Amino acid sequence: MKYRRIIFTLLLIIVSVALVAAAGAKKQDTLWDIWKILQKKEFVDLTHTFEPGIPHWPGFPDEERELFFWYDDQPPGPGTLGTGFYAQEFCHVGQWGTHVDPPAHFIRGLRTID
């Protein structure tokens, strides 16, 4: 009889704690709820076409590109390595234009995006 009372009391405490925790738990938004919120927001596209002159920190040089291959001998003519397909080389600073700005840009040893 004594053990039944202890077990009953423990079960009552466990159920009470579970009910209190469930009542205090915040409802998690579904993807549909989040979509409804996002539809009301204004988004600004900060991307730029990747080309010479793209906005960048003025302490960095402008981007350079070289035509390696062009489709044929028609304008702009053969690239420096020939014809047959289109290929360019791009040369620019790693922190170029609109980009992800990891903390490692400013503090040695912090995380990078790679």
Side-chain angles (χ1 to χ4, degrees):
M1 188 69 139
K2 181 178 176 183
Y3 293 110
R4 284 186 182 178
R5 181 178 282 177
I6 292 172
I7 291 173
F8 179 75
T9 304
L10 286 174
L11 286 174
L12 188 59
I13 291 171
I14 291 170
V15 169
S16 299
V17 168
L19 289 173
V20 168
K26 181 182 175 210
K27 176 190 160 261
Q28 186 171 359
D29 290 333
T30 66
L31 287 176
W32 187 248
D33 296 330
I34 294 168
W35 173 247
K36 288 178 188 176
I37 293 168
L38 289 176
Q39 283 183 313
K40 297 174 186 173
K41 303 298 179 185
E42 178 183 355
F43 290 88
V44 179
D45 183 1
L46 298 177
T47 58
H48 296 276
T49 302
F50 188 67
E51 61 189 0
I54 186 174
H56 62 280
W57 184 61
F60 293 147
D62 203 6
E63 174 229 330
E64 297 174 9
R65 53 176 74 189
E66 180 180 346
L67 178 64
F68 278 169
F69 287 90
W70 185 248
Y71 303 106
D72 50 39
D73 289 333
Q74 302 299 313
T80 58
L81 299 178
T83 60
F85 61 97
Y86 177 60
Q88 291 179 300
E89 176 185 51
F90 302 96
C91 182
H92 59 82
V93 176
Q95 294 85 358
W96 190 255
T98 304
H99 66 286
V100 177
D101 196 12
H105 284 193
F106 302 101
I107 302 172
R108 184 183 316 183
L110 291 185
R111 298 177 73 185
T112 62
I113 60 172
D114 59 347

